[in-house]
Amino acid sequence: MPREGVVRCRAAWARLAGRETCVVHGNPDSAANVRMTSERVALIDWDESHVDVPTSTWCCPTTPAGLDDGAA
């Protein structure tokens, strides 16, 4: 990895130091891993699950629902 990439990655991860961790799904950005009904939402296919900061699993460029920043 280029040195600049290493520096940027370490700086990004450093901001998460000390935050609470839990088990996260690891791949919720794949619409195939989200099942919804009118009553509930479920995540399937937990093969990429791991312990991490909870918000890290939702840091993806798009969401399964296709919501943008202006969505309510």
Side-chain angles (χ1 to χ4, degrees):
M1 177 179 277
R3 176 153 173 71
E4 179 185 343
V6 171
V7 170
R8 293 179 72 178
C9 286
R10 288 183 176 157
W13 285 108
R15 292 190 299 251
L16 302 176
R19 293 194 182 189
E20 186 176 342
T21 59
C22 67
V23 175
V24 297
H25 183 273
N27 189 21
D29 53 328
S30 170
N33 291 339
V34 180
R35 297 289 188 255
M36 293 191 293
T37 69
S38 60
E39 297 176 3
R40 62 180 62 154
V41 175
L43 295 173
I44 63 169
D45 192 12
W46 286 76
D47 65 321
E48 294 186 35
S49 62
H50 57 280
V51 175
D52 208 339
V53 175
T55 54
S56 69
T57 198
W58 297 109
C59 295
C60 50
T62 60
T63 64
L67 301 176
D68 61 24
D69 290 340

